[in-house]
Amino acid sequence: MAPDDTADENASYRYLSTRGQDSGFSFEEVVLNSVAPDGGLYIPEEIPRATAWESWGDLSFPELAFEIMSLYISPSEIPPADLKDIIARSYSSFRSPEVTPLVQLKENHYLLELFHGPTFASKDIASQFLGNLLEYFLVKKNKGKTSIAGGHGTLYGHRDSLILYDEFFLADRHRLTFVGATKGDAGSAAVHGLRGKRDISVFVMFPQAQISPVQEAQITTVPDENVCSLAVAGTFDDCQNILRRLQADRQANEDFDLVSSRNWAQILAQIVLYFYSYFSLVKKSASFKTGDKVRFVIPTGKFGSILAGYFALHMGLPVDKLVIATNENDILDRFWKTGRYEKQRVGRGGHGVKKTLSPAMDILTSYNFERLLWFLACEFASSAGMDHLWNQNQASQEVYQWFQDLDKKGVFGPVYRDVIRSARRDFESERVTDQQTIETIKAVYRKSGYVLDPHSAVGAAATQRSMNRTHANTPHISFSTAHPAKFSETVIRALHGEDGFSIVETSLTPAELADLDKREKKITVVNNDWQKVREIINARNSN
Ligand SMILES: *Cc1c(COP(=O)(O)O)cnc(C)c1O
């Protein structure tokens, strides 16, 4: 870390780990390392108050993103002109001029459409920004570099995937190698965020013939040289095992410091959504004024988008509640009800993920939840009346202990009553079954003609319950996280035989997605063998 990074007096420019007592990390370290050396996740030392937020109402999406991100990134690390450029490039890839348009479904229920990016799903919001940010830091590091001694490296990872930031394969330049295993959405968003980026190479593994045709095409038809798609002759679990073996192999070599992904920049990018949709609502609604409260309802898997809402709330945005919407993989919903965080058991004593109609939310644990827990634990610690540093250390110790328990026993909690109380002050939670998902797609189509994808339908179902509780007086914004054409099988199953749907169906698939079929696919088929994958990575990286 450059010494001048610590000189910033602004605590929200500096980062700490949720599990350790290390602090003072720079934004660049946070982005390039992804996970802290102690295994914890990075969070800003303080959540900044957005004192000028009410004056942001007329800003465009990129302008608003700049204001928000500037509260978390020191101008000495990324000069304002550079940050503006990174943001502009990230969101010019979206098809809608508003980037994320807000549409009204009915009175007091609005949908924030997050699927106008390159892969037609919400992960583009974070992945497009992250790709440009990584490239920016690499280009900066490589400026004037001719040679560096090899052998040491740190790792950057993304979702069910890994990125190696290393000097192992190429001795003369800093370079990122991204290796990922995907069931679909996360992998395609990563490919489209990293394609064509300098000094980054991308390897995405998917189970051969087992992901949806649209998702496969999105991963395999990009022409860029730095992207390699690997169809593994095996299951998704096999892909994840290969990833783990690569990790173990590198650790054995002590050349690498591998961790899986959880990048803070992905949360940061999504804070913008809350402010932006709030101001869109002010513009769209005759009765809603700046300063009024709104409820957000978020379909959730890894607690990413919704965690960004917690930051927006504590920055000062008038949020009544953040409503968690889970599918039958409901570890979060159960936490809010019981205060216990416990991995789901499937079958006899085994742990397992349940396959649902909203697969991007099929998770066993929600890793970003750790970040929320830290803030809740810190708030609890502050009631002891000690100084802030003591509270922070206390919170990190608490989180460390909880996750030790989770590792050993598959469960922690119940947590302190005050911690649950704070969690319930800011959040409510709903669990939506597959059957309710189908019924919601049907009901919304019948009432408004709007076609929801299954993930967005989980959010819409949770919204309806929240509206019933609040007597529909509070406006609700629910996130629409994927284009229905990406999950057309479920949508067609729900709407088959509905009035007029045959006409809607023929226009359901956007030209960009229909077109994918005709493009040339670049696929490397590989045996279910981690050493073969390693050979491919080595061979391509040494070219
Ligand atoms: C990833 C994803 C979600 C869940 O988002 P998290 O940030 O993981 O909570 C919801 N819907 C779709 C379509 C997704 O791809």
Side-chain angles (χ1 to χ4, degrees):
M1 177 174 48
D4 59 347
D5 292 335
T6 45
D8 283 314
E9 68 277 25
N10 219 334
S12 64
Y13 293 162
R14 299 187 307 255
Y15 292 81
L16 53 75
S17 159
T18 50
R19 291 194 199 181
Q21 307 196 357
D22 286 343
S23 57
F25 294 102
S26 70
F27 183 69
E28 178 172 342
E29 285 176 296
V30 163
V31 170
L32 289 177
N33 293 340
S34 192
V35 174
D38 58 24
L41 302 182
Y42 292 114
I43 44 173
E45 290 185 20
E46 256 167 40
I47 302 179
R49 290 297 292 186
T51 46
W53 77 270
E54 285 172 89
S55 66
W56 293 344
D58 291 321
L59 300 185
S60 68
F61 189 100
E63 287 167 344
L64 186 61
F66 174 77
E67 293 298 333
I68 290 167
M69 291 174 180
S70 296
L71 298 174
Y72 292 92
I73 305 169
S74 164
S76 67
E77 278 196 83
I78 305 182
D82 291 358
L83 182 58
K84 280 184 184 158
D85 179 59
I86 292 168
I87 293 168
R89 284 188 286 120
S90 302
Y91 298 108
S92 62
S93 62
F94 281 62
R95 292 173 304 278
S96 165
E98 295 171 90
V99 183
T100 59
L102 187 73
V103 301
Q104 183 167 19
L105 208 52
K106 63 180 185 189
E107 197 182 351
N108 280 325
H109 186 183
Y110 295 80
L111 284 175
L112 184 66
E113 292 185 344
L114 302 178
F115 51 74
H116 298 279
T119 74
F120 291 80
S122 57
K123 291 193 175 49
D124 289 330
I125 309 286
S127 297
Q128 290 292 306
F129 175 66
L130 182 59
N132 286 310
L133 197 59
L134 288 168
E135 185 184 50
Y136 176 82
F137 283 132
L138 284 176
V139 167
K140 206 166 89 170
K141 270 183 183 293
N142 285 332
K143 207 168 258 173
K145 283 273 161 63
T146 50
S147 107
I148 295 168
H152 118 90
T154 48
L155 176 98
Y156 161 77
H158 179 99
R159 301 234 157 229
D160 305 312
S161 42
L162 307 166
I163 285 183
L164 318 181
Y165 164 60
D166 65 64
E167 293 104 63
F168 184 77
F169 298 116
L170 269 184
D172 59 344
R173 291 176 75 83
H174 288 267
R175 204 186 149 101
L176 284 169
T177 299
F178 174 101
V179 188
T182 187
K183 288 183 285 189
D185 267 5
S188 55
V191 163
H192 286 263
L194 298 171
R195 58 180 287 196
K197 298 283 186 271
R198 278 164 286 182
D199 295 317
I200 299 178
S201 43
V202 183
F203 300 86
V204 172
M205 294 183 278
F206 61 89
Q208 188 180 16
Q210 285 173 57
I211 62 175
S212 85
V214 173
Q215 289 170 330
E216 183 181 299
Q218 283 180 334
I219 291 168
T220 59
T221 60
V222 297
D224 307 78
E225 281 299 316
N226 74 326
V227 175
C228 174
S229 70
L230 298 168
V232 175
T235 62
F236 174 65
D237 280 347
D238 293 329
C239 295
Q240 283 196 307
N241 281 331
I242 292 174
L243 211 52
R244 271 182 224 123
R245 294 300 297 267
L246 287 170
Q247 182 174 3
D249 171 51
R250 285 164 177 272
Q251 273 171 345
N253 285 330
E254 290 190 349
D255 282 326
F256 299 94
D257 182 18
L258 290 187
V259 276
S260 51
S261 133
R262 288 107 219 261
N263 203 289
W264 158 252
Q266 293 169 299
I267 305 296
L268 176 59
Q270 296 183 86
I271 298 173
V272 182
L273 302 175
Y274 292 83
F275 284 90
Y276 189 72
S277 59
Y278 184 93
F279 291 125
S280 300
L281 180 58
V282 171
K283 285 178 203 141
K284 280 218 148 65
S285 160
S287 54
F288 188 79
K289 304 272 180 298
T290 303
D292 291 350
K293 285 196 170 180
V294 62
R295 280 186 169 226
F296 287 99
V297 187
I298 319 295
T300 305
K302 308 265 176 143
F303 208 73
S305 311
I306 193 158
L307 179 74
Y310 178 82
F311 279 86
L313 190 166
H314 288 274
M315 287 169 75
L317 190 69
V319 177
D320 180 53
K321 288 275 187 220
L322 297 159
V323 182
I324 296 160
T326 77
N327 63 23
E328 291 165 56
N329 293 289
D330 58 356
I331 185 167
L332 290 166
D333 185 64
R334 286 180 284 117
F335 174 83
W336 257 265
K337 296 204 161 79
T338 64
R340 279 162 59 89
Y341 192 71
E342 183 171 26
K343 289 185 189 173
Q344 189 148 271
R345 288 171 211 281
V346 170
R348 273 222 205 142
H351 296 295
V353 177
K354 188 167 191 287
K355 256 192 159 155
T356 73
L357 298 176
S358 41
M361 290 148 56
D362 289 348
I363 48 95
L364 197 56
T365 60
S366 290
Y367 58 70
N368 281 303
F369 181 58
E370 177 170 346
R371 291 182 156 118
L372 174 68
L373 278 173
W374 189 92
F375 284 104
L376 297 177
C378 189
E379 186 183 330
F380 176 57
S382 69
S383 61
M386 310 288 274
D387 66 9
H388 193 53
L389 194 62
W390 187 87
N391 300 341
Q392 289 181 334
N393 287 340
Q394 200 64 20
S396 293
Q397 277 174 32
E398 211 67 77
V399 169
Y400 176 80
Q401 195 50 55
W402 283 330
F403 282 86
Q404 288 282 97
D405 286 355
L406 186 69
D407 266 358
K408 288 203 197 96
K409 299 181 257 172
V411 57
F412 66 75
V415 298
Y416 310 109
R417 292 175 69 94
D418 286 6
V419 169
I420 305 172
R421 200 172 295 139
S422 304
R424 289 180 183 154
R425 175 197 62 212
D426 294 344
F427 297 87
E428 286 179 2
S429 172
E430 294 292 343
R431 170 188 191 269
V432 177
T433 64
D434 273 353
Q435 199 194 336
Q436 290 162 339
T437 303
I438 294 277
E439 282 162 9
T440 303
I441 295 174
K442 231 189 263 260
V444 167
Y445 177 75
R446 281 182 189 165
K447 277 216 177 88
S448 66
Y450 192 95
V451 181
L452 290 166
D453 103 286
H455 306 80
S456 312
V458 168
T463 304
Q464 191 52 54
R465 295 182 203 162
S466 167
M467 288 178 82
N468 294 345
R469 272 198 300 276
T470 56
H471 310 292
N473 291 329
T474 311
H476 286 64
I477 294 173
S478 68
F479 283 12
S480 186
T481 55
H483 192 288
K486 277 202 97 164
F487 299 94
S488 55
E489 211 172 290
T490 301
V491 172
I492 290 166
R493 183 176 136 199
L495 297 183
H496 182 75
E498 292 291 315
D499 262 7
F501 183 64
S502 54
I503 301 159
V504 175
E505 191 182 342
T506 53
S507 59
L508 191 63
T509 305
E512 292 92 335
L513 290 184
D515 228 39
L516 281 177
D517 253 5
K518 299 177 203 114
R519 296 212 199 131
E520 191 197 342
K521 289 185 182 169
K522 287 196 303 180
I523 305 179
T524 305
V525 178
V526 57
N527 289 341
N528 177 14
D529 175 351
W530 71 275
Q531 281 167 320
K532 284 273 181 298
V533 173
R534 167 116 210 215
E535 276 168 29
I536 293 170
I537 295 173
N538 274 329
R540 281 185 61 107
N541 271 347
S542 57
N543 273 339

